[in-house]
Amino acid sequence: MTTLELGPLLRHVGTTTATIWVETSARCTVEVLGASAPTFEVSGQHYALVVVDGLEPGTCRPYEVRLDGELVWPMAGASTPPSYLRTRRRDVEGERLRFVFGSCRYPPTDDPELEASLGIDALDAYATRLMDLVADTDDPDAVLPETLCLLGDQVYADELTPRTQRWIRERRGPGVEPQDEIVDFGEYAHLYSESWTDRELRWLLSTVPTAMIFDDHDVRDDWNTSQTWREEMAAQPWWPERIRAALASYWVYQHLGNLDPATRDADPLYRKVLEADGDVFDLLSDFAGRADAEVGEPTGVRWSYRWDLGRTRLLMVDSRCARVLNTEDRLMINEHSFAWIEENANGFDDDVDHLLIGSSIPWLMPPAVSHVQSLDELAATKGSRLAEKVRQAVDLEHWPAFRASFDRLADVVRGVASGPNAPATVCVLSGDVHHSYAAEARYPSPTRSRVYQLTCSPVRNGVPWFMEYVFALGWSRRLSRLLGRVATTAGLDEPPLDWSTIGGPWFGNAVSTLEVTGRDAHLRVERSGARGGLEPVATLPLT
Protein backbone atom coordinates (compact mmCIF):
# COMPACT_ATOMS: atom_id res chain seq x y z
CA MET A 1 0.00 0.00 0.00
CA THR A 2 1.23 3.47 -0.89
CA THR A 3 1.76 5.63 2.19
CA LEU A 4 1.72 9.33 2.91
CA GLU A 5 5.35 10.18 3.67
CA LEU A 6 4.99 13.91 4.34
CA GLY A 7 2.16 16.39 4.42
CA PRO A 8 -0.48 17.30 3.67
CA LEU A 9 0.68 20.91 3.56
CA LEU A 10 -1.98 23.54 2.90
CA ARG A 11 -0.23 26.11 0.75
CA HIS A 12 -1.70 28.89 -1.45
CA VAL A 13 -5.40 29.48 -0.81
CA GLY A 14 -7.59 31.84 -2.82
CA THR A 15 -11.27 32.69 -2.67
CA THR A 16 -12.29 29.59 -4.65
CA THR A 17 -9.11 27.47 -4.81
CA ALA A 18 -6.73 25.73 -2.41
CA THR A 19 -3.45 23.91 -3.04
CA ILE A 20 -2.48 20.84 -0.98
CA TRP A 21 1.08 19.46 -1.25
CA VAL A 22 2.03 15.88 -0.36
CA GLU A 23 4.92 13.44 -0.57
CA THR A 24 4.09 9.76 -1.03
CA SER A 25 5.99 6.49 -0.93
CA ALA A 26 5.23 5.53 -4.53
CA ARG A 27 3.57 6.67 -7.71
CA CYS A 28 -0.17 7.19 -7.20
CA THR A 29 -3.14 9.50 -7.61
CA VAL A 30 -3.83 11.89 -4.75
CA GLU A 31 -7.41 12.94 -3.99
CA VAL A 32 -8.70 15.80 -1.82
CA LEU A 33 -12.36 16.89 -1.68
CA GLY A 34 -13.15 15.43 -5.11
CA ALA A 35 -10.06 16.91 -6.81
CA SER A 36 -7.14 14.71 -7.82
CA ALA A 37 -3.62 14.89 -9.21
CA PRO A 38 -1.00 12.28 -10.19
CA THR A 39 2.36 12.29 -8.46
CA PHE A 40 5.64 13.19 -10.16
CA GLU A 41 8.99 11.62 -9.33
CA VAL A 42 12.23 13.35 -8.30
CA SER A 43 15.28 11.25 -7.45
CA GLY A 44 13.09 8.36 -6.37
CA GLN A 45 10.78 10.54 -4.24
CA HIS A 46 7.12 11.12 -5.20
CA TYR A 47 5.15 14.38 -4.90
CA ALA A 48 1.84 15.92 -5.89
CA LEU A 49 0.03 19.23 -5.68
CA VAL A 50 -3.73 18.93 -5.64
CA VAL A 51 -5.70 22.06 -6.54
CA VAL A 52 -9.22 22.01 -5.12
CA ASP A 53 -11.30 24.39 -7.24
CA GLY A 54 -14.84 25.68 -7.32
CA LEU A 55 -14.99 26.36 -3.58
CA GLU A 56 -17.20 28.97 -1.96
CA PRO A 57 -15.43 32.13 -0.71
CA GLY A 58 -15.13 32.49 3.06
CA THR A 59 -15.92 28.88 3.92
CA CYS A 60 -14.20 26.50 6.33
CA ARG A 61 -14.47 22.72 6.01
CA PRO A 62 -12.51 19.64 7.13
CA TYR A 63 -10.76 17.59 4.48
CA GLU A 64 -9.23 14.15 4.00
CA VAL A 65 -6.46 12.82 1.74
CA ARG A 66 -6.73 9.59 -0.23
CA LEU A 67 -4.05 7.79 -2.24
CA ASP A 68 -5.50 5.63 -5.02
CA GLY A 69 -8.78 5.71 -3.10
CA GLU A 70 -7.31 4.66 0.27
CA LEU A 71 -7.75 7.05 3.20
CA VAL A 72 -4.34 8.14 4.56
CA TRP A 73 -5.18 11.43 6.29
CA PRO A 74 -6.21 11.99 9.04
CA MET A 75 -3.77 9.36 10.26
CA ALA A 76 -5.26 6.60 12.37
CA GLY A 77 -4.64 7.15 16.05
CA ALA A 78 -3.14 10.62 15.59
CA SER A 79 -5.54 12.15 18.17
CA THR A 80 -5.47 15.55 16.47
CA PRO A 81 -8.40 17.71 15.34
CA PRO A 82 -9.44 17.51 11.68
CA SER A 83 -7.41 19.41 9.13
CA TYR A 84 -9.37 22.36 7.79
CA LEU A 85 -9.44 24.10 4.45
CA ARG A 86 -10.59 27.73 4.60
CA THR A 87 -11.03 29.87 1.54
CA ARG A 88 -10.37 33.61 1.54
CA ARG A 89 -13.22 36.05 1.73
CA ARG A 90 -13.61 38.54 -1.06
CA ASP A 91 -12.69 42.18 -0.42
CA VAL A 92 -14.35 42.84 2.95
CA GLU A 93 -13.84 46.13 4.76
CA GLY A 94 -13.08 45.75 8.45
CA GLU A 95 -12.13 42.06 8.16
CA ARG A 96 -9.83 40.65 10.84
CA LEU A 97 -6.73 38.84 9.57
CA ARG A 98 -3.95 37.17 11.57
CA PHE A 99 -0.46 36.60 10.18
CA VAL A 100 1.74 34.33 12.28
CA PHE A 101 5.43 34.61 11.42
CA GLY A 102 8.90 33.55 12.48
CA SER A 103 12.07 31.89 11.21
CA CYS A 104 15.00 29.65 12.12
CA ARG A 105 13.49 26.38 13.34
CA TYR A 106 15.97 23.67 14.29
CA PRO A 107 14.29 20.25 14.15
CA PRO A 108 13.62 17.83 17.01
CA THR A 109 16.65 15.72 17.96
CA ASP A 110 17.40 12.58 19.97
CA ASP A 111 20.16 14.27 21.96
CA PRO A 112 18.94 15.29 25.46
CA GLU A 113 21.77 17.78 26.00
CA LEU A 114 21.16 19.46 22.64
CA GLU A 115 17.41 19.49 23.26
CA ALA A 116 17.93 21.23 26.58
CA SER A 117 20.16 23.88 25.02
CA LEU A 118 17.70 24.58 22.17
CA GLY A 119 14.68 24.93 24.44
CA ILE A 120 10.98 24.53 23.70
CA ASP A 121 9.98 24.86 20.04
CA ALA A 122 7.80 27.98 19.90
CA LEU A 123 6.03 26.86 16.73
CA ASP A 124 5.21 23.48 18.25
CA ALA A 125 3.91 25.29 21.33
CA TYR A 126 1.77 27.50 19.11
CA ALA A 127 0.48 24.46 17.21
CA THR A 128 -0.41 22.67 20.45
CA ARG A 129 -2.40 25.65 21.70
CA LEU A 130 -4.17 26.02 18.36
CA MET A 131 -5.08 22.32 18.33
CA ASP A 132 -6.69 22.74 21.75
CA LEU A 133 -8.60 25.83 20.61
CA VAL A 134 -9.90 24.05 17.49
CA ALA A 135 -10.89 20.98 19.49
CA ASP A 136 -12.86 23.10 21.95
CA THR A 137 -14.86 25.18 19.45
CA ASP A 138 -17.73 24.61 17.08
CA ASP A 139 -16.36 27.41 14.84
CA PRO A 140 -12.72 26.70 13.80
CA ASP A 141 -12.88 29.67 11.44
CA ALA A 142 -12.93 31.98 14.47
CA VAL A 143 -9.65 30.73 15.96
CA LEU A 144 -7.52 29.75 12.96
CA PRO A 145 -5.02 32.33 11.65
CA GLU A 146 -5.17 33.27 7.99
CA THR A 147 -1.49 32.73 7.15
CA LEU A 148 1.71 31.28 8.55
CA CYS A 149 4.81 33.02 7.15
CA LEU A 150 8.00 30.98 7.50
CA LEU A 151 10.78 33.44 6.80
CA GLY A 152 13.77 31.21 6.24
CA ASP A 153 15.89 28.41 7.68
CA GLN A 154 13.09 25.89 7.45
CA VAL A 155 15.88 23.28 7.37
CA TYR A 156 19.53 23.34 8.41
CA ALA A 157 21.59 21.71 5.68
CA ASP A 158 24.92 22.54 7.34
CA GLU A 159 24.08 22.04 11.03
CA LEU A 160 22.76 18.51 11.21
CA THR A 161 21.19 16.72 14.12
CA PRO A 162 23.21 13.84 15.59
CA ARG A 163 20.60 11.43 14.20
CA THR A 164 21.03 12.74 10.65
CA GLN A 165 24.83 12.73 10.94
CA ARG A 166 24.68 9.02 11.81
CA TRP A 167 22.25 8.38 8.95
CA ILE A 168 24.58 10.11 6.45
CA ARG A 169 27.63 8.14 7.60
CA GLU A 170 25.70 4.89 7.17
CA ARG A 171 24.33 5.97 3.78
CA ARG A 172 27.58 7.18 2.24
CA GLY A 173 30.16 5.07 4.01
CA PRO A 174 33.35 6.38 5.65
CA GLY A 175 35.54 9.18 4.34
CA VAL A 176 33.06 10.85 1.96
CA GLU A 177 33.12 14.64 2.34
CA PRO A 178 31.51 16.66 3.71
CA GLN A 179 30.58 14.23 6.46
CA ASP A 180 28.56 16.76 8.47
CA GLU A 181 26.52 18.43 5.70
CA ILE A 182 23.79 17.57 3.23
CA VAL A 183 24.86 17.05 -0.40
CA ASP A 184 22.31 15.36 -2.66
CA PHE A 185 18.54 15.51 -3.22
CA GLY A 186 17.81 12.35 -1.23
CA GLU A 187 19.58 13.82 1.78
CA TYR A 188 17.57 17.01 1.46
CA ALA A 189 14.38 14.92 1.33
CA HIS A 190 15.48 13.29 4.59
CA LEU A 191 16.08 16.75 6.09
CA TYR A 192 12.58 18.00 5.24
CA SER A 193 11.08 14.80 6.62
CA GLU A 194 12.97 15.25 9.87
CA SER A 195 11.76 18.85 10.16
CA TRP A 196 8.10 18.43 9.17
CA THR A 197 6.90 15.11 10.59
CA ASP A 198 6.48 15.86 14.28
CA ARG A 199 2.82 15.59 15.24
CA GLU A 200 2.03 19.18 16.21
CA LEU A 201 3.79 20.88 13.31
CA ARG A 202 2.40 18.43 10.78
CA TRP A 203 -1.15 19.25 11.83
CA LEU A 204 -0.43 23.01 11.80
CA LEU A 205 0.96 22.87 8.26
CA SER A 206 -2.05 20.84 7.14
CA THR A 207 -4.50 23.47 8.39
CA VAL A 208 -2.97 26.97 8.14
CA PRO A 209 -2.03 28.28 4.65
CA THR A 210 1.74 28.60 4.72
CA ALA A 211 3.96 31.00 2.77
CA MET A 212 7.69 30.23 2.74
CA ILE A 213 10.94 31.79 1.59
CA PHE A 214 14.49 30.46 1.96
CA ASP A 215 17.41 31.88 3.88
CA ASP A 216 21.03 30.79 4.06
CA HIS A 217 20.80 27.58 6.13
CA ASP A 218 18.25 26.15 3.70
CA VAL A 219 21.33 26.00 1.45
CA ARG A 220 24.43 26.78 3.56
CA ASP A 221 25.50 29.36 6.15
CA ASP A 222 26.41 32.71 4.52
CA TRP A 223 24.92 31.61 1.19
CA ASN A 224 25.71 34.30 -1.40
CA THR A 225 27.31 36.63 1.14
CA SER A 226 29.72 37.87 -1.52
CA GLN A 227 31.47 36.94 -4.74
CA THR A 228 34.47 35.84 -2.66
CA TRP A 229 32.23 33.42 -0.77
CA ARG A 230 30.89 32.01 -4.04
CA GLU A 231 34.41 31.47 -5.38
CA GLU A 232 35.47 29.73 -2.18
CA MET A 233 32.49 27.39 -2.34
CA ALA A 234 32.95 26.70 -6.06
CA ALA A 235 36.41 25.34 -5.24
CA GLN A 236 34.85 22.55 -3.15
CA PRO A 237 34.43 19.39 -5.27
CA TRP A 238 31.05 18.55 -3.71
CA TRP A 239 29.53 22.04 -4.11
CA PRO A 240 28.01 21.75 -7.64
CA GLU A 241 25.92 18.78 -6.54
CA ARG A 242 25.01 20.50 -3.29
CA ILE A 243 23.72 23.76 -4.77
CA ARG A 244 21.73 21.93 -7.43
CA ALA A 245 20.15 19.63 -4.84
CA ALA A 246 19.44 22.60 -2.55
CA LEU A 247 17.60 24.65 -5.16
CA ALA A 248 15.86 21.67 -6.75
CA SER A 249 14.54 20.51 -3.37
CA TYR A 250 13.51 24.07 -2.45
CA TRP A 251 11.54 24.25 -5.71
CA VAL A 252 9.72 21.04 -4.82
CA TYR A 253 9.22 21.38 -1.07
CA GLN A 254 8.71 25.12 -0.67
CA HIS A 255 8.45 27.17 -3.85
CA LEU A 256 5.74 25.35 -5.82
CA GLY A 257 3.19 25.73 -3.05
CA ASN A 258 3.88 29.46 -2.78
CA LEU A 259 2.43 30.07 -6.24
CA ASP A 260 -1.22 30.57 -7.09
CA PRO A 261 -2.56 27.89 -9.47
CA ALA A 262 -2.60 30.13 -12.56
CA THR A 263 1.02 31.21 -12.07
CA ARG A 264 2.17 27.67 -11.36
CA ASP A 265 0.33 26.23 -14.36
CA ALA A 266 1.92 28.86 -16.61
CA ASP A 267 5.43 27.90 -15.44
CA PRO A 268 7.17 26.05 -18.32
CA LEU A 269 9.27 24.00 -15.90
CA TYR A 270 6.23 22.82 -13.95
CA ARG A 271 4.49 21.84 -17.18
CA LYS A 272 7.54 19.81 -18.24
CA VAL A 273 7.63 18.08 -14.87
CA LEU A 274 3.96 17.06 -15.12
CA GLU A 275 4.34 15.91 -18.73
CA ALA A 276 7.48 13.86 -18.08
CA ASP A 277 7.39 10.07 -17.98
CA GLY A 278 9.70 9.00 -15.18
CA ASP A 279 12.14 10.70 -12.85
CA VAL A 280 12.61 14.42 -13.48
CA PHE A 281 15.63 15.06 -11.25
CA ASP A 282 17.91 15.83 -14.21
CA LEU A 283 15.41 18.43 -15.41
CA LEU A 284 15.31 20.11 -12.00
CA SER A 285 19.06 19.83 -11.55
CA ASP A 286 19.66 21.68 -14.82
CA PHE A 287 17.21 24.36 -13.76
CA ALA A 288 18.88 24.72 -10.36
CA GLY A 289 22.30 25.01 -11.97
CA ARG A 290 21.06 27.82 -14.21
CA ALA A 291 19.40 29.58 -11.28
CA ASP A 292 22.64 29.54 -9.31
CA ALA A 293 24.71 30.65 -12.31
CA GLU A 294 22.42 33.66 -12.81
CA VAL A 295 23.33 35.14 -9.42
CA GLY A 296 25.06 38.39 -10.28
CA GLU A 297 23.08 38.94 -13.46
CA PRO A 298 20.50 41.75 -13.87
CA THR A 299 17.87 39.10 -14.55
CA GLY A 300 17.37 35.62 -13.23
CA VAL A 301 14.89 33.19 -11.70
CA ARG A 302 12.34 35.11 -9.66
CA TRP A 303 11.61 33.29 -6.40
CA SER A 304 9.64 36.24 -4.99
CA TYR A 305 5.83 36.06 -5.07
CA ARG A 306 2.67 37.84 -3.98
CA TRP A 307 -0.39 36.86 -1.97
CA ASP A 308 -3.46 39.09 -1.77
CA LEU A 309 -5.42 38.39 1.41
CA GLY A 310 -8.54 40.50 1.52
CA ARG A 311 -7.36 44.09 1.83
CA THR A 312 -3.82 43.09 2.85
CA ARG A 313 -1.06 42.43 0.32
CA LEU A 314 1.91 40.18 1.14
CA LEU A 315 5.07 40.37 -0.99
CA MET A 316 7.52 37.60 -0.10
CA VAL A 317 10.92 38.72 -1.34
CA ASP A 318 13.94 36.59 -2.20
CA SER A 319 16.94 38.32 -0.62
CA ARG A 320 19.40 35.45 -1.18
CA CYS A 321 19.39 34.11 -4.73
CA ALA A 322 18.55 37.40 -6.49
CA ARG A 323 21.76 39.11 -5.38
CA VAL A 324 24.30 40.84 -7.60
CA LEU A 325 27.80 40.23 -6.28
CA ASN A 326 30.27 41.39 -8.92
CA THR A 327 32.96 44.00 -8.28
CA GLU A 328 30.98 46.80 -9.95
CA ASP A 329 27.69 46.25 -8.14
CA ARG A 330 26.79 44.76 -4.78
CA LEU A 331 23.02 44.51 -4.73
CA MET A 332 20.67 42.60 -2.47
CA ILE A 333 18.22 42.16 -5.35
CA ASN A 334 18.81 42.32 -9.10
CA GLU A 335 17.07 44.76 -11.39
CA HIS A 336 14.55 42.24 -12.69
CA SER A 337 13.34 41.27 -9.20
CA PHE A 338 13.45 44.80 -7.78
CA ALA A 339 11.32 46.07 -10.64
CA TRP A 340 8.81 43.35 -9.72
CA ILE A 341 8.81 44.60 -6.10
CA GLU A 342 8.23 48.18 -7.21
CA GLU A 343 5.40 47.17 -9.53
CA ASN A 344 3.59 45.07 -6.94
CA ALA A 345 4.20 47.43 -4.02
CA ASN A 346 2.68 50.31 -5.93
CA GLY A 347 0.20 48.52 -8.16
CA PHE A 348 -3.00 49.04 -6.19
CA ASP A 349 -5.68 51.68 -5.86
CA ASP A 350 -7.31 52.38 -2.50
CA ASP A 351 -8.25 48.78 -1.72
CA VAL A 352 -5.14 47.82 0.29
CA ASP A 353 -5.18 48.58 4.01
CA HIS A 354 -1.80 47.02 4.82
CA LEU A 355 1.29 46.17 2.77
CA LEU A 356 3.51 43.40 4.16
CA ILE A 357 6.97 42.77 2.73
CA GLY A 358 8.48 39.47 3.80
CA SER A 359 12.28 39.42 3.70
CA SER A 360 14.17 36.62 5.42
CA ILE A 361 16.81 39.10 6.61
CA PRO A 362 15.86 42.40 8.26
CA TRP A 363 15.82 45.69 6.39
CA LEU A 364 16.14 47.88 9.51
CA MET A 365 18.78 46.47 11.84
CA PRO A 366 19.76 48.07 15.16
CA PRO A 367 21.12 51.46 13.92
CA ALA A 368 24.67 50.97 15.22
CA VAL A 369 24.83 47.53 13.58
CA SER A 370 23.46 49.05 10.38
CA HIS A 371 26.30 51.60 10.25
CA VAL A 372 28.89 48.87 10.86
CA GLN A 373 27.50 46.78 8.00
CA SER A 374 27.56 49.70 5.57
CA LEU A 375 31.12 50.63 6.62
CA ASP A 376 32.25 47.04 6.12
CA GLU A 377 30.72 46.98 2.64
CA LEU A 378 32.52 50.20 1.76
CA ALA A 379 35.85 48.77 2.88
CA ALA A 380 35.24 45.49 1.04
CA THR A 381 34.46 47.29 -2.23
CA LYS A 382 37.81 49.06 -1.89
CA GLY A 383 39.57 45.71 -1.75
CA SER A 384 39.99 45.17 1.99
CA ARG A 385 40.52 41.46 2.64
CA LEU A 386 39.99 42.04 6.34
CA ALA A 387 36.56 43.55 5.64
CA GLU A 388 35.62 40.48 3.60
CA LYS A 389 36.77 38.14 6.38
CA VAL A 390 34.82 40.10 8.97
CA ARG A 391 31.78 40.14 6.66
CA GLN A 392 31.69 36.35 6.61
CA ALA A 393 32.81 35.77 10.20
CA VAL A 394 30.09 37.86 11.87
CA ASP A 395 27.37 37.80 9.17
CA LEU A 396 27.58 41.41 7.97
CA GLU A 397 25.29 40.65 5.04
CA HIS A 398 21.91 42.20 5.78
CA TRP A 399 20.24 45.01 3.85
CA PRO A 400 22.59 47.75 5.20
CA ALA A 401 25.53 45.73 3.84
CA PHE A 402 24.03 46.26 0.37
CA ARG A 403 23.57 49.98 0.81
CA ALA A 404 22.31 50.76 -2.68
CA SER A 405 19.53 48.21 -2.25
CA PHE A 406 18.79 49.43 1.29
CA ASP A 407 18.26 52.94 -0.06
CA ARG A 408 16.18 51.74 -3.00
CA LEU A 409 13.84 49.79 -0.72
CA ALA A 410 13.57 52.89 1.46
CA ASP A 411 12.48 54.84 -1.64
CA VAL A 412 9.91 52.17 -2.55
CA VAL A 413 8.44 52.19 0.95
CA ARG A 414 8.39 55.99 1.07
CA GLY A 415 6.57 56.12 -2.27
CA VAL A 416 3.91 53.70 -1.06
CA ALA A 417 3.57 55.33 2.35
CA SER A 418 3.27 58.85 0.88
CA GLY A 419 1.01 58.09 -2.06
CA PRO A 420 -2.62 59.09 -2.46
CA ASN A 421 -3.72 55.48 -1.82
CA ALA A 422 -1.33 54.88 1.05
CA PRO A 423 -2.18 51.87 3.25
CA ALA A 424 -2.43 52.28 7.00
CA THR A 425 0.84 50.40 7.54
CA VAL A 426 3.82 49.15 5.60
CA CYS A 427 5.44 46.34 7.59
CA VAL A 428 8.64 44.47 6.73
CA LEU A 429 8.51 40.99 8.29
CA SER A 430 11.87 39.31 8.87
CA GLY A 431 13.79 36.71 10.84
CA ASP A 432 17.38 35.39 10.70
CA VAL A 433 19.03 37.34 13.53
CA HIS A 434 18.03 35.08 16.46
CA HIS A 435 16.28 37.79 18.40
CA SER A 436 13.00 39.65 18.01
CA TYR A 437 12.15 43.35 17.93
CA ALA A 438 9.80 45.93 16.48
CA ALA A 439 11.10 49.22 15.06
CA GLU A 440 9.26 52.20 13.61
CA ALA A 441 10.72 54.21 10.72
CA ARG A 442 10.47 57.95 10.16
CA TYR A 443 11.20 59.82 6.95
CA PRO A 444 12.29 63.49 6.77
CA SER A 445 8.86 64.30 5.32
CA PRO A 446 5.90 62.75 7.19
CA THR A 447 4.21 59.80 5.50
CA ARG A 448 0.56 58.83 5.46
CA SER A 449 1.41 55.22 6.41
CA ARG A 450 3.11 54.01 9.56
CA VAL A 451 6.27 52.08 8.59
CA TYR A 452 7.66 49.20 10.66
CA GLN A 453 10.34 46.54 10.76
CA LEU A 454 8.94 43.50 12.59
CA THR A 455 11.51 40.79 13.27
CA CYS A 456 10.85 37.40 14.90
CA SER A 457 13.64 34.84 15.29
CA PRO A 458 14.33 32.11 16.23
CA VAL A 459 11.38 29.76 16.39
CA ARG A 460 13.83 27.24 17.82
CA ASN A 461 17.52 27.94 18.01
CA GLY A 462 19.96 29.93 20.10
CA VAL A 463 22.37 32.82 20.10
CA PRO A 464 25.73 33.11 21.93
CA TRP A 465 25.22 34.90 25.24
CA PHE A 466 27.48 37.82 24.30
CA MET A 467 25.41 38.60 21.20
CA GLU A 468 22.52 39.61 23.45
CA TYR A 469 24.67 42.50 24.67
CA VAL A 470 25.79 43.34 21.12
CA PHE A 471 22.23 43.59 19.79
CA ALA A 472 21.03 45.54 22.81
CA LEU A 473 23.96 47.95 22.41
CA GLY A 474 23.09 48.29 18.73
CA TRP A 475 20.05 50.39 19.69
CA SER A 476 22.13 52.88 21.71
CA ARG A 477 21.47 56.37 20.34
CA ARG A 478 24.89 57.62 21.48
CA LEU A 479 26.76 54.78 19.76
CA SER A 480 24.60 55.13 16.64
CA ARG A 481 25.35 58.84 16.35
CA LEU A 482 29.08 58.16 16.77
CA LEU A 483 29.13 55.46 14.10
CA GLY A 484 26.94 57.62 11.86
CA ARG A 485 29.58 60.36 11.97
CA VAL A 486 32.28 57.80 11.16
CA ALA A 487 30.24 56.59 8.20
CA THR A 488 29.72 60.07 6.73
CA THR A 489 33.39 60.90 7.24
CA ALA A 490 34.26 57.73 5.32
CA GLY A 491 32.13 58.95 2.42
CA LEU A 492 28.78 57.25 3.01
CA ASP A 493 25.57 59.23 2.65
CA GLU A 494 23.34 59.46 5.66
CA PRO A 495 20.53 56.88 5.61
CA PRO A 496 17.38 58.24 3.94
CA LEU A 497 15.32 57.58 7.08
CA ASP A 498 15.60 57.18 10.85
CA TRP A 499 14.23 54.36 12.96
CA SER A 500 14.09 53.32 16.58
CA THR A 501 12.81 50.37 18.56
CA ILE A 502 9.27 50.38 19.92
CA GLY A 503 9.73 46.93 21.46
CA GLY A 504 12.63 44.62 22.18
CA PRO A 505 15.14 43.29 21.64
CA TRP A 506 13.72 40.05 23.03
CA PHE A 507 15.67 36.80 23.15
CA GLY A 508 14.50 33.19 23.19
CA ASN A 509 12.34 30.99 20.97
CA ALA A 510 9.37 33.02 19.77
CA VAL A 511 6.50 33.43 17.33
CA SER A 512 4.80 36.69 16.46
CA THR A 513 1.30 37.47 15.23
CA LEU A 514 0.41 40.55 13.23
CA GLU A 515 -3.34 41.08 13.54
CA VAL A 516 -5.16 43.58 11.36
CA THR A 517 -8.78 44.64 11.52
CA GLY A 518 -9.66 47.06 8.79
CA ARG A 519 -6.97 49.75 8.97
CA ASP A 520 -6.07 48.94 12.58
CA ALA A 521 -3.12 46.69 13.39
CA HIS A 522 -1.25 45.38 16.38
CA LEU A 523 1.65 43.00 16.97
CA ARG A 524 1.72 40.22 19.55
CA VAL A 525 5.04 38.56 20.46
CA GLU A 526 5.07 35.30 22.41
CA ARG A 527 7.96 33.27 23.74
CA SER A 528 8.09 29.58 24.67
CA GLY A 529 8.17 29.03 28.42
CA ALA A 530 10.50 26.79 30.37
CA ARG A 531 7.64 24.32 31.03
CA GLY A 532 6.18 24.45 27.55
CA GLY A 533 3.43 26.63 26.19
CA LEU A 534 3.75 30.24 25.13
CA GLU A 535 4.23 33.24 27.37
CA PRO A 536 3.23 36.76 26.23
CA VAL A 537 6.14 39.12 25.71
CA ALA A 538 4.45 42.21 24.31
CA THR A 539 1.37 43.50 22.52
CA LEU A 540 2.09 46.64 20.52
CA PRO A 541 -0.44 48.88 18.74
CA LEU A 542 0.80 49.80 15.26
CA THR A 543 -1.91 52.28 14.24
Side-chain angles (χ1 to χ4, degrees), residues 365-423:
M365 298 285 288
V369 176
S370 184
H371 288 310
V372 169
Q373 296 214 14
S374 296
L375 282 165
D376 182 80
E377 180 197 25
L378 180 63
T381 59
K382 293 180 178 179
S384 170
R385 294 183 179 180
L386 176 61
E388 179 59 42
K389 289 182 179 179
V390 171
R391 184 184 183 93
Q392 293 190 36
V394 295
D395 293 340
L396 302 183
E397 48 152 342
H398 300 89
W399 282 87
F402 295 82
R403 182 57 190 277
S405 297
F406 176 95
D407 289 355
R408 185 171 178 180
L409 184 57
D411 288 342
V412 172
V413 171
R414 176 171 51 193
V416 172
S418 303
N421 300 316

Side-chain angles (χ1 to χ4, degrees), residues 355-370:
L355 175 64
L356 313 182
I357 300 174
S359 169
S360 64
I361 52 181
W363 171 48
L364 301 179
M365 298 285 288
V369 176
S370 184

